[in-house]
Amino acid sequence: MRLYLEAALNDFVKKTGVVPKRASTPYAPDLPRDQADQLISTPGKYGADAAHYLMRLMFAARMASPDLSLAIQRLATQITKWSSDCDRRLLRIYGYIANKPNIALIGTVNTNFNGTPCIIAWPDADLAGDPATSRSTSGYFVEICTGGSHHFPLAWGSRRQTSTSCHTCEAETVSLATCLRQQALPAQLLLDRLLRATTELFVKEGNTATICAIRRGYSPALRYLKRTQRIDLGFLHEAFEQERTHLQKADTGDHKGDFFTKPLGIAAFTAALVKIGMIVITGS
């Protein structure tokens, strides 16, 4: 997507007359509360064309640039209330694109693999980590594994949850249920049909309390839930009782879904790129 993103950057510079300052990540740094409040209360300059600027980048993020997913998702929720703080964040994203090396999302498939490929899903959630809302952020990364280090990306995404979660276990449950229902299980069914074989699905979860609640099908900590999240918990409990669907604990440092739920510093961001298979391409 390099040429596509360069065209988007050139279009932004041409329309605004502003050359964004180069940046190493797409995340604008947090400001002191008084400065942030002042920017949020001031209408932004790019509000009229914000949808145009964001939609081009959203397409890139969906197709082959997962490194843009979270930053675009958070800014897209501000379209109807665009502020000067949104201007600052939009400039940061384009500054990252201006500084972005020739990086590509790479996957490998082992053609000599004798077994059946498995699907690995990495759902994650960030509890109320977005300062613009009390709602948590869900993220996921889904890939096919054909043995050893051979992984091929299938899907990824970042989105704001539709209601406020009161603690981490609830937020993680919502994220995991969404990933399993909308991405992982459909991918497993499709692979079964294409390969005419039974495909294993492994879901990596980083929160121990969430794993315990799903395996029991109930959690005293979630007894206040009335319907939607309670249904999610029951759905997950039943799904992981199936022989070919496995719930496993993953260390936070190894989790690939973390990249899609929270802004990361330069070192962590660079490490996360490598973790999901985004590498710098050298040569022409």
Side-chain angles (χ1 to χ4, degrees):
M1 301 297 293
R2 186 183 69 169
L3 296 178
Y4 178 86
L5 288 172
E6 287 178 355
L9 174 62
N10 292 335
D11 176 68
F12 177 80
V13 173
K14 182 178 178 180
K15 287 181 179 295
T16 63
V18 176
V19 178
K21 181 180 179 181
R22 292 175 175 267
S24 299
T25 74
Y27 310 118
D30 293 333
L31 298 175
R33 185 59 182 269
D34 56 340
Q35 294 183 31
D37 288 345
Q38 183 177 359
L39 289 175
I40 291 172
S41 62
T42 305
K45 297 185 295 182
Y46 309 131
D49 296 316
H52 169 74
Y53 298 138
L54 289 177
M55 284 302 294
R56 299 191 67 167
L57 302 185
M58 195 174 291
F59 175 77
R62 187 177 182 86
M63 293 300 295
S65 298
D67 50 333
L68 296 174
S69 293
L70 178 61
I72 295 298
Q73 178 269 324
R74 289 199 171 177
L75 201 51
T77 62
Q78 304 298 311
I79 285 287
T80 59
K81 45 187 176 181
W82 197 265
S83 67
S84 294
D85 188 60
C86 297
D87 287 346
R88 180 177 73 96
R89 296 182 184 278
L90 182 65
L91 285 170
R92 175 69 180 214
I93 293 173
Y94 275 104
Y96 169 69
I97 293 172
N99 191 53
K100 188 176 179 179
N102 188 16
I103 192 170
L105 181 64
I106 300 297
T108 62
V109 175
N110 182 5
T111 56
N112 295 320
F113 183 58
N114 294 323
T116 302
C118 66
I119 295 174
I120 305 177
W122 304 81
D124 191 41
D126 183 33
L127 181 66
D130 186 348
T133 179
S134 63
R135 297 178 183 178
S136 301
T137 301
S138 293
Y140 63 86
F141 186 75
V142 182
E143 59 188 348
I144 290 179
C145 178
T146 53
S149 60
H150 296 278
H151 297 260
F152 196 91
L154 285 181
W156 56 84
S158 176
R159 64 176 298 177
R160 177 185 292 180
Q161 295 185 1
T162 56
S163 61
T164 298
S165 295
C166 294
H167 52 70
T168 300
C169 185
E170 182 181 350
E172 292 279 352
T173 299
V174 172
S175 177
L176 203 160
T178 301
C179 175
L180 196 67
R181 185 172 57 247
Q182 296 183 2
Q183 300 292 339
L185 285 177
Q188 184 186 34
L189 293 174
L190 177 61
L191 207 59
D192 284 351
R193 186 68 61 88
L194 292 175
L195 299 178
R196 298 181 181 179
T198 54
T199 308
E200 300 289 318
L201 169 61
F202 297 89
V203 179
K204 305 291 187 176
E205 171 57 47
N207 185 264
T208 303
T210 303
I211 294 174
C212 292
I214 291 170
R215 288 178 175 166
R216 289 197 303 260
Y218 173 77
S219 170
L222 300 179
R223 61 184 179 274
Y224 61 87
L225 299 179
K226 292 184 177 181
R227 176 175 291 186
T228 304
Q229 285 89 333
R230 181 165 51 86
I231 293 174
D232 283 344
L233 195 57
F235 159 71
L236 292 171
H237 175 71
E238 294 173 6
F240 289 113
E241 284 189 322
Q242 306 300 315
E243 291 184 358
R244 298 188 298 120
T245 308
H246 313 281
L247 180 61
Q248 298 179 334
K249 178 71 170 64
D251 294 333
T252 301
D254 299 327
H255 205 288
K256 299 181 181 182
D258 192 57
F259 186 56
F260 300 92
T261 60
K262 58 180 69 67
L264 301 175
I266 296 175
F269 182 81
T270 302
L273 288 176
V274 176
K275 200 181 300 179
I276 66 171
M278 296 198 75
I279 63 173
V280 175
I281 306 298
T282 58
S284 57

